[in-house]
Amino acid sequence: AQSVTQPDIHITVSEGASLELRCNYSYGATPYLFWYVQSPGQGLQLLLKYFSGDTLVQGIKGFEAEFKRSQSSFNLRKPSVHWSDAAEYFCAVGAGSNTGKLIFGQGTTLQVKP
Amino acid sequence: DVKVTQSSRYLVKRTGEKVFLECVQDMDHENMFWYRQDPGLGLRLIYFSYDVKMKEKGDIPEGYSVSREKKERFSLILESASTNQTSMYLCASSPQRNEQFFGPGTRLTVL
């Protein structure tokens, strides 16, 4: 069965520091992979997605993610974090059907120190 | 831009009431989803629909039902609300095999 693991429940970084959020997935075929961000009290917003092709994917708000098939990972990165990046981040994998169903990780809460 | 709207941002109901949460999308998406989100548990899928009048149970369907009479509207129904259904409810829609677009959420409190 498909699954997504975000090993870090909570991460704190200083403003201006680099960021990497980890995501590991379990899926038999080539996955569709997504990163979403959720600000407090809001819905989820798509940051970026990977379907095929270049394994380094650029997203909105200066984020990027790299698909590594050998490691079953899709880690999210940002070179310099801003205070407004404080939010919860979810990794998701497509469940392999035409229904658009996604399997979500448990989420990582990012806190940014001034 | 895709827009997914939910009928209420905040809702307070009493135990035993029948509760309707409405979700509307404006992009002609085939698929629609209802999730609940609780601290430490992430997003859990309640029900989804892949076509008008078609629905499938998600991971936690107990105590909920859904209705999709029109393609743009997907309703979540709590037949008899209980305090353990106090949660944030998120609706989403998607075209086939693509990302989901989320509404702003409804924070439901059952007293």
Side-chain angles (χ1 to χ4, degrees):
Chain A
Q2 300 96 344
S3 67
V4 177
T5 302
Q6 294 179 245
D8 304 304
I9 296 173
H10 193 275
I11 282 184
T12 301
V13 300
S14 297
E15 190 168 17
S18 63
L19 172 70
E20 182 169 34
L21 302 183
R22 295 183 291 162
C23 173
N24 294 99
Y25 66 90
S26 172
Y27 188 70
T30 300
Y32 292 2
L33 293 161
F34 307 86
W35 273 101
Y36 284 87
V37 61
Q38 185 183 32
S39 297
Q42 303 298 316
L44 276 68
Q45 180 184 19
L46 181 72
L47 282 175
L48 46 78
K49 62 185 178 184
Y50 171 79
F51 284 4
S52 65
D54 193 345
T55 56
L56 185 62
V57 180
Q58 300 299 318
I60 62 171
K61 303 177 188 271
F63 286 92
E64 67 178 25
E66 186 171 13
F67 169 57
K68 292 186 177 180
R69 184 188 300 277
S70 61
Q71 298 177 20
S72 297
S73 69
F74 189 56
N75 294 347
L76 182 71
R77 299 194 294 247
K78 187 169 184 178
S80 178
V81 169
H82 188 262
W83 63 266
S84 60
D85 294 323
E88 191 160 18
Y89 292 80
F90 291 93
C91 181
V93 62
S97 69
N98 285 332
T99 62
K101 190 177 172 186
L102 299 180
I103 309 298
F104 284 88
Q106 296 288 69
T108 298
T109 299
L110 173 65
Q111 183 178 357
V112 180
K113 292 190 301 185
Chain B
D1 274 357
V2 174
K3 192 157 187 184
V4 179
T5 56
Q6 295 184 229
S7 49
S8 305
R9 292 299 306 275
Y10 300 93
L11 207 53
V12 180
K13 295 293 182 181
R14 299 223 173 259
T15 301
E17 280 193 75
K18 190 169 186 176
V19 181
F20 293 85
L21 302 182
E22 305 285 338
C23 176
V24 177
Q25 51 100 357
D26 66 357
M27 282 301 291
D28 203 37
H29 287 166
E30 292 86 357
N31 308 308
M32 297 188 74
F33 307 83
W34 275 107
Y35 297 89
R36 65 175 285 175
Q37 183 179 22
D38 301 287
L41 297 178
L43 276 75
R44 293 182 291 168
L45 181 64
I46 304 171
Y47 268 96
F48 68 100
S49 168
Y50 51 91
D51 202 349
V52 175
K53 297 190 187 294
M54 306 302 287
K55 60 187 179 185
E56 281 196 22
K57 293 180 181 179
D59 302 317
I60 51 163
E62 297 78 18
Y64 303 93
S65 62
V66 290
S67 171
R68 193 168 181 200
E69 297 296 319
K70 293 185 177 181
K71 193 173 186 180
E72 67 269 20
R73 187 180 298 269
F74 191 36
S75 302
L76 180 69
I77 303 155
L78 287 66
E79 296 289 343
S80 177
S82 64
T83 55
N84 63 13
Q85 292 178 308
T86 291
S87 187
M88 169 74 102
Y89 290 87
L90 293 167
C91 175
S93 73
S94 80
Q96 289 188 5
R97 285 185 165 269
N98 215 322
E99 71 261 31
Q100 293 182 12
F101 297 85
F102 283 81
T106 296
R107 186 164 295 282
L108 173 67
T109 302
V110 183
L111 302 175

